[in-house]
Amino acid sequence: MATASVYKGAGFDFSNEVRNTFLSERGIPLPKATSTGTTIVGCLFKDGIILGADTRATEGPIVADKNCEKIHFITDNIRCCGAGTAADTEFTTALISSNMELHALSTGRKPRVVTAMTMLKQMLFRLVPQPTHYHRPPSSIAPFPYRYQGHIGAALVLGGVDATGPQLFTIHPHGSTDKLPYVTMGSGSLAAMAVFEAKWQPNMEVRIPHAHPLPTYAHSPPPPPQRAEALDLVCAAISAGIFNDLGSGSNVDACVITASHTEMLRNLVKPNERVQKERSYQFRRGTTAIKKESIRSLIVDEDVTSITGEAMDIS
Amino acid sequence: MDSLRIVPARDDKSATTQDTSNSFGLHDTLQYGPRSLATEVRKNGAVKDRLENWEATQDNLKLQMQRQLFGLHMPMRILMERKLVSQNSHMPVLSQSNLHLDILMGRDEMLECPDFMMPASELRQPSDIHADMEKKLRM
């Protein structure tokens, strides 16, 4: 008989796999998970990192969440944007956040971005799906989350400022990583990358768009008008994704991370606010005529008995 | 196994009844339903095999490298310590934690999926403690 295993096991339950294989071979597709076919960007500027994301979560062709939050917390100075299956990105980043906290407590040092990146890539590599023998329909036209059919589909942009300086990484769903000064991921990544390629320069300042004044960053000399400011650039990149990609939409979220502190700018720009209806569609009182009115009292018979005994025993 | 694989190999599945056997060594129809050759012989999902063999493969890599560097005694001692520590005289109740084993395996300061995701099979109450103890003591 098998000895007690010292290994913990997979943690996933595969008891339905035979049934699912059987059903999918008969043509019944797996249910589509909520995906964040999305636009996420990260960009290095003079003092740190800016991460940006849109806020739409889709479930096939339907918008499941108009204002979801895609910039996840890893540690105080590290944040991670997630594209792909929404549950997978949230679950993965929450797990890595917990592990980073344990690691920081154990080493006694402030956590580093490369640690989070290594943990993420090792975890995603473990779950890489292998090609199977039976034919799977080609998914070159479908957005990438559908290809994985339940395996973890999470493309992440990880950025933070630690003791070694500002770091920006991308982690692809199979576990490969890149270290770059500006990155975009998701279905709107091409639109956002076009904006970055046109306007990104090293050592940009941060300037707040007029919609959201932040006195912390009001450096006294105003920048020359032809330089693209980092936060404006990130908003422009996300907006390009919002307007040109069906999987991205709603508002722009941003997160500015510097060596001293992190600022989470939720709903920084809202280019898709719902307009107020031009007419009022309420019916005025009296539109429907009252033909008959009868009032019936629900109290048939009322009999009051006063109780003067002892108080209720509530000990 | 003298291999230095990092990732579990994709081997073809062979028919086996050991997963579903009862105390007689035969397929337990009452618990798992009728036997089906199609389900046993057909190759299961690759992710399942990969995940289930992941830790064993990585562990094997480390032990194999230790054997090649230090000699046979090194992995032998490591495995001996693990075996000593996993001897558990308790009854197989639902949740068992072995901190010493976690420390030896290097997972005492990490959270992994199995730590908080419980398959439905483990949520069941132990219906037959005698059978569970029998299974355990025969190991």
Side-chain angles (χ1 to χ4, degrees), chain A residues 7-8 17 99 125 130, chain B residues 45 47 50 59 107 111 115:
Chain A
Y7 308 118
K8 276 243 171 110
E17 183 150 24
N99 276 327
F125 181 65
Q130 304 274 0
Chain B
V47 176
R50 188 184 171 96
D59 201 34
R107 51 179 191 235
L111 276 172
D115 294 324

Side-chain angles (χ1 to χ4, degrees), chain A residues 1-4 6-14 17-18 25 91 95 98-99 102 106 125-133 151, chain B residues 7 10 39 42-48 50-51 54-56 59 86 101-102 105 107 109-111 113-117 119-120 139:
Chain A
M1 282 293 253
T3 54
V6 294
Y7 308 118
K8 276 243 171 110
F12 294 102
D13 187 11
F14 288 100
E17 183 150 24
V18 173
E25 280 185 353
F91 159 78
L95 181 59
S98 304
N99 276 327
L102 286 173
S106 140
F125 181 65
R126 194 192 282 216
L127 284 138
V128 166
Q130 304 274 0
T132 53
H133 291 309
H151 306 155
Chain B
V7 163
R10 280 181 39 216
T39 60
R42 179 203 304 258
K43 183 175 166 26
N44 279 337
V47 176
K48 175 183 175 196
R50 188 184 171 96
L51 285 179
W54 184 267
E55 288 168 277
D59 201 34
S86 6
L101 182 63
D102 282 344
M105 299 294 290
R107 51 179 191 235
E109 278 170 343
M110 281 202 60
L111 276 172
C113 293
D115 294 324
F116 53 90
M117 285 166 68
M139 292 189 242

Side-chain angles (χ1 to χ4, degrees), chain B residues 16-29:
Chain B
T16 172
T17 55
Q18 288 309 310
D19 295 330
T20 57
S21 55
N22 57 12
S23 57
F24 294 115
L26 300 173
H27 174 84
D28 193 347
T29 311

Side-chain angles (χ1 to χ4, degrees), chain A residues 40-41 87 119 123 194 202 222 224-225 230 234 259 266 281 296:
Chain A
I40 49 175
V41 304
M119 288 181 185
M123 192 187 133
V234 164
R266 173 93 171 123
Y281 293 90
R296 188 177 136 195

Side-chain angles (χ1 to χ4, degrees), chain B residues 74-123:
Chain B
M74 193 65 159
M76 213 181 241
R77 286 163 189 259
I78 305 276
L79 290 171
M80 177 191 76
E81 287 170 2
R82 284 187 200 167
K83 191 150 184 160
L84 283 171
V85 147
S86 6
Q87 281 167 0
N88 188 1
S89 58
H90 294 296
M91 276 178 48
V93 294
L94 277 176
S95 64
Q96 295 189 346
S97 75
N98 194 338
L99 180 61
H100 200 160
L101 182 63
D102 282 344
I103 294 173
L104 285 177
M105 299 294 290
R107 51 179 191 235
D108 58 321
E109 278 170 343
M110 281 202 60
L111 276 172
E112 289 165 353
C113 293
D115 294 324
F116 53 90
M117 285 166 68
M118 263 206 301
S121 54
E122 284 182 24
L123 283 168

Side-chain angles (χ1 to χ4, degrees), chain A residues 18 70 82 94 99 119 167 191 206 242 258 310:
Chain A
V18 173
K70 298 185 189 178
N99 276 327
M119 288 181 185
Q167 319 269 349
V206 167
I242 285 173
T258 57
E310 297 150 5

